[in-house]
Amino acid sequence: MSHRYQLQVQAIIVTSFRQRHFSFSSRYAASRVSFSSFCCGKNIEMEEVKVASDLLVGDPALLEKKIDAIRLGGPQKLQVIADFDATLTKFSVNGTRGQSSHGLLQQGNPEYDAKRQQLYEYYHPLEFSPTIGLEEKTKLMEEWWGKTHALLVEGGLTYESIRQSVANANIAFREGVSELFEFLEARDIPVLIFSAGLADTIEEVLRQKLHRSFKNVRIVSNRMVFNDNGSLVSFKGKLIHSLNKNEHALDMAAPVHERFGDMDGPTDDNASLKKRTNVLLLGDHLGDLGMSDGLNYETRISMGFLNHNIENSLSCYREAFDVVFVNDAPMWGVIKLVSQMCSSGT
């Protein structure tokens, strides 16, 4: 992995959260970095944390140009679009493959868990088949998601089952995710988490693993309707699957779930979000680059997390994303980038 585009960040030391300006170009040596962040209106002081991560930039000059353009537009024109599984969450947890927000769900009914697994084994290979056209594949994905949702209702899924599934799940956020959300929240920068999974499950993961909610975070995903007994009865809005997971889906998404008691709803309505024409996009698949489809953006910086099969995929990722993180990297490098984008200095 030694080539002229590789820029490694080794042993980044996070000492405290004091605001300063960072260059994100060629000065990627081991360094001390500090950021500005807030939690409940208070400055956060953080113990010294050592992070080892590999970071690659295909075109440093272009990246600097994009950073300058976003900085010039200001925080009021910026939004963050992020995938959830293996992007905000770790790819590997406790030495094994971490679970996805959809895969962790157990209905408490072995018969229906097995039926959903059978659907996965049939449709998942079709999702990535190179011989199936987009139109046919879209119909297959709608079929798969529709059948899966029907099984969740028919099998009597309860919200308590979701809570218990998350509590027992092998899932964890990357280090720095909470600090990233806090940094963006303090600057009223919205975060759209796009997922073809289940919004209620993602919210429960946020609640149990981060232990708080964020007023600037909006989840664009499939949302459930529960009756007074806590049993699933239906889904809100139109179906969101892996092939329509983009800004077009904003019009399909239901509001943030009322179970987040301290959330009054998204900080921006759909119209105002579309006016935020500078985008920071975070994803772990090449297909995640399509999450900004439907937004007429001016400047987009894309950051890709390449979690496995690095040797075979690195070239494609480096060409597709502005920045690539490998080896299940933490979020400190993303915070560093956002800090520079929001800096008023030069």
Side-chain angles (χ1 to χ4, degrees):
M1 291 174 57
S2 59
H3 47 73
R4 66 188 182 91
Y5 295 103
Q6 181 172 0
L7 299 170
Q8 295 183 329
V9 178
Q10 293 292 341
I12 298 176
I13 309 283
V14 180
T15 54
S16 65
F17 283 359
R18 298 185 303 272
Q19 186 173 12
R20 69 182 253 201
H21 174 77
F22 300 94
S23 174
F24 217 78
S25 58
S26 59
R27 296 184 290 279
Y28 286 114
S31 60
R32 288 181 177 270
V33 296
S34 53
F35 311 106
S36 176
S37 185
F38 299 87
C39 180
C40 301
K42 299 179 180 179
N43 288 333
I44 299 174
E45 292 297 322
M46 194 174 176
E47 292 183 3
E48 198 167 280
V49 180
K50 188 172 290 186
V51 179
S53 66
D54 289 344
L55 180 154
L56 300 95
V57 178
D59 190 336
L62 177 60
L63 179 59
E64 279 292 332
K65 183 178 180 180
K66 289 184 176 183
I67 291 172
D68 289 342
I70 292 178
R71 185 192 300 117
L72 184 63
Q76 67 275 9
K77 289 192 66 176
L78 178 63
Q79 64 173 293
V80 176
I81 300 173
D83 174 54
F84 186 76
D85 293 312
T87 296
L88 296 178
T89 62
K90 293 181 178 180
F91 181 79
S92 178
V93 181
N94 299 322
T96 61
R97 174 71 171 91
Q99 289 180 291
S100 69
S101 56
H102 212 289
L104 65 82
L105 187 61
Q106 298 295 311
Q107 291 182 241
N109 186 323
E111 176 187 354
Y112 283 88
D113 288 337
K115 288 181 178 180
R116 286 190 294 116
Q117 181 61 29
Q118 289 172 1
L119 290 177
Y120 174 86
E121 292 172 358
Y122 175 76
Y123 285 102
H124 186 256
L126 302 179
E127 180 181 5
F128 294 97
S129 171
T131 62
I132 301 176
L134 180 60
E135 183 177 355
E136 181 182 356
K137 190 175 290 188
T138 298
K139 292 180 180 179
L140 288 169
M141 295 304 100
E142 291 173 350
E143 189 177 277
W144 180 12
W145 261 254
K147 289 180 179 179
T148 297
H149 289 182
L151 287 174
L152 291 173
V153 175
E154 184 181 337
L157 177 70
T158 65
Y159 198 86
E160 183 56 35
S161 295
I162 294 176
R163 288 197 185 100
Q164 196 61 43
S165 295
V166 172
N168 295 335
N170 189 44
I171 190 171
F173 285 98
R174 295 177 188 269
E175 292 86 354
V177 165
S178 184
E179 289 81 3
L180 174 63
F181 286 174
E182 289 166 2
F183 185 97
L184 296 167
E185 182 181 50
R187 289 152 183 81
D188 294 323
I189 298 172
V191 179
L192 301 180
I193 299 177
F194 283 84
S195 174
L198 303 168
D200 304 80
T201 303
I202 292 172
E203 288 173 351
E204 190 62 31
V205 175
L206 286 166
R207 181 183 294 104
Q208 292 192 27
K209 305 302 181 181
L210 297 184
H211 309 294
R212 61 156 294 184
S213 59
F214 300 88
K215 71 179 188 295
N216 61 321
V217 174
R218 181 175 183 180
I219 299 171
V220 182
S221 188
N222 298 292
R223 194 169 297 280
M224 301 175 179
V225 178
F226 296 89
N227 62 20
D228 293 339
N229 295 323
S231 296
L232 176 65
V233 294
S234 64
F235 284 81
K236 291 182 180 179
K238 296 181 181 180
L239 190 102
I240 300 174
H241 54 78
S242 59
L243 298 182
N244 69 349
K245 187 182 71 172
N246 54 48
E247 292 245 359
H248 290 298
L250 279 175
D251 297 327
M252 306 179 195
V256 173
H257 204 290
E258 59 271 16
R259 291 181 185 272
F260 261 49
D262 58 344
M263 297 187 77
D264 297 323
T267 56
D268 292 78
D269 59 25
N270 293 354
S272 60
L273 280 170
K274 293 181 183 297
K275 294 178 182 178
R276 290 179 174 265
T277 52
N278 291 330
V279 176
L280 174 63
L281 184 148
L282 310 176
D284 70 301
H285 287 292
L286 296 176
D288 289 335
L289 291 165
M291 290 189 298
S292 57
D293 290 353
L295 176 67
N296 186 23
Y297 60 81
E298 295 176 12
T299 304
R300 184 186 74 174
I301 294 177
S302 57
M303 305 189 81
F305 290 83
L306 178 53
N307 297 306
H308 64 110
N309 196 23
I310 294 174
E311 184 176 351
N312 293 329
S313 302
L314 183 59
S315 177
C316 291
Y317 273 66
R318 183 166 49 81
E319 292 178 6
F321 290 94
D322 294 302
V323 180
V324 179
F325 288 103
V326 296
N327 300 328
D328 219 4
M331 281 287 172
W332 306 124
V334 178
I335 299 176
K336 180 176 180 179
L337 172 66
V338 175
S339 179
Q340 182 175 354
M341 290 160 56
C342 295
S343 173
S344 58
T346 57

